[in-house]
Amino acid sequence: MPLSHAQSIDSATRQTTMNTLGLIGGTSWHSTVEYYSYINQTVNTRFDNNTNPPLVLINLDQHHIHQLQQLGRWDSIANILTGACRRLEKAGSKAVLFCANTPHKVYDEVQMHSAIPILHIADATGVAIKRKNLHKVGLIGTVFTMEEPFIAKILKGKYHIEVIVPDKKEDRIQLHAMIQNELSLGILNPETKRYILNQIALLKARGAEGIILGCTEFPLIIGEKDLDIPVFNTTLLHAQMGVDFILSLSQ
């Protein structure tokens, strides 16, 4: 059924009263789909119809990004992300999401060269943990996310949350390999799920009151129903942060 003139005007008005959000995805595209789906569905629900949010998406080449990570070329990754932010700004975006945890390793450098804000995934996660009144959480993700401080330092310094990761180096390496060789390719093996759940159980035994799924691929295989402690799905928490930004002009 064609829209009436009034309906057309109403839809156009909604678009102009929402902030345009830029998404830098592709790392991986499977989790980027989750961001895109969640943001669209949540805005649909907000307006109780099929009103879609103004989004601009840049899809990075994950294979190339992984090669640069292996070579330690984080300067090149920062340059790629900075260029993507500039393109999104030119396309009308008022803020940006990196649709993954690991790119936040170079967040400070990219934000320094970006004229628009980059909404940090650790802030979305920290707020959610504080709402649950938790003080110690386990974190699983890529080796970079687990071993380097770009997520944990924000949770500790800004939200006063202690973060623990798997004790053994080989376990951290194995989780990383499962992300890159399976989950980021959409491969969901039952054995992999059992391994991840075992790692989470070890973190719980060390006092973790909740678990951060600190790679946006983990929610593809692990959900709240799998655990008896709070689960913090960084994909959905970050996507909701994006929704809040989009709708901030239309509340």
Side-chain angles (χ1 to χ4, degrees):
M1 178 183 296
L3 290 175
S4 69
H5 179 64
Q7 288 173 317
S8 297
I9 292 174
D10 181 55
S11 178
T13 300
R14 286 172 178 165
Q15 286 290 322
T16 59
T17 57
M18 289 191 283
N19 286 308
T20 300
L21 180 65
L23 305 177
I24 300 180
T27 55
S28 70
W29 71 261
H30 298 277
S31 57
T32 304
V33 167
E34 298 297 315
Y35 273 85
Y36 183 79
S37 176
Y38 181 88
I39 292 171
N40 275 280
Q41 184 59 61
T42 305
V43 172
N44 286 175
T45 301
R46 164 68 172 76
F47 291 109
D48 196 27
N49 59 26
N50 59 351
T51 295
N52 288 333
L55 296 174
V56 184
L57 170 65
I58 290 179
N59 199 45
L60 300 183
D61 179 354
Q62 185 180 30
H63 180 68
H64 181 51
I65 296 295
H66 281 176
Q67 288 179 319
L68 293 173
Q69 289 176 355
Q70 291 166 4
L71 294 171
R73 293 294 308 276
W74 292 96
D75 56 337
S76 296
I77 294 172
N79 288 337
I80 290 170
L81 292 168
T82 298
C85 285
R86 288 173 178 162
R87 288 164 59 195
L88 290 169
E89 181 195 358
K90 288 180 181 178
S93 300
K94 302 303 181 185
V96 174
L97 295 185
F98 296 162
C99 296
N101 284 267
T102 301
H104 290 79
K105 174 176 164 64
V106 293
Y107 172 93
D108 290 341
E109 181 178 350
V110 179
Q111 181 63 88
M112 189 189 321
H113 295 95
S114 174
I116 55 177
I118 304 165
L119 308 182
H120 204 298
I121 200 166
D123 285 314
T125 307
V127 168
I129 296 170
K130 291 299 285 185
R131 284 181 184 146
K132 293 282 189 180
N133 197 32
L134 305 185
H135 304 285
K136 184 176 182 178
V137 295
L139 169 66
I140 57 172
T142 64
V143 164
F144 311 112
T145 300
M146 291 185 287
E147 295 185 352
E148 301 191 37
F150 56 91
I151 299 295
K153 72 178 180 181
I154 293 177
L155 295 179
K156 181 66 174 178
K158 192 170 180 179
Y159 299 97
H160 311 293
I161 298 163
E162 181 183 354
V163 176
I164 59 174
V165 301
D167 261 339
K168 297 180 181 178
K169 176 76 171 180
E170 57 264 35
D171 288 331
R172 298 194 295 271
I173 290 173
Q174 182 63 20
L175 287 168
H176 182 93
M178 288 172 167
I179 292 166
Q180 292 206 334
N181 300 331
E182 297 178 31
L183 302 182
S184 67
L185 301 175
I187 300 169
L188 308 178
N189 286 324
E191 296 83 1
T192 296
K193 182 172 183 175
R194 283 193 289 272
Y195 184 89
I196 297 169
L197 288 174
N198 181 61
Q199 290 301 309
I200 291 173
L202 292 173
L203 290 168
K204 180 183 174 184
R206 290 168 52 204
E209 303 168 300
I211 295 295
I212 301 171
L213 300 182
C215 174
T216 51
E217 276 71 54
F218 279 139
L220 300 175
I221 197 169
I222 300 292
E224 291 185 6
K225 67 181 185 301
D226 296 310
L227 300 171
D228 59 0
I229 58 175
V231 178
F232 298 96
N233 179 336
T234 55
T235 303
L236 297 189
L237 293 172
H238 202 205
Q240 181 61 54
M241 190 181 193
V243 170
D244 293 342
F245 178 82
I246 290 167
L247 295 177
S248 62
L249 291 182
S250 57
Q251 299 299 318

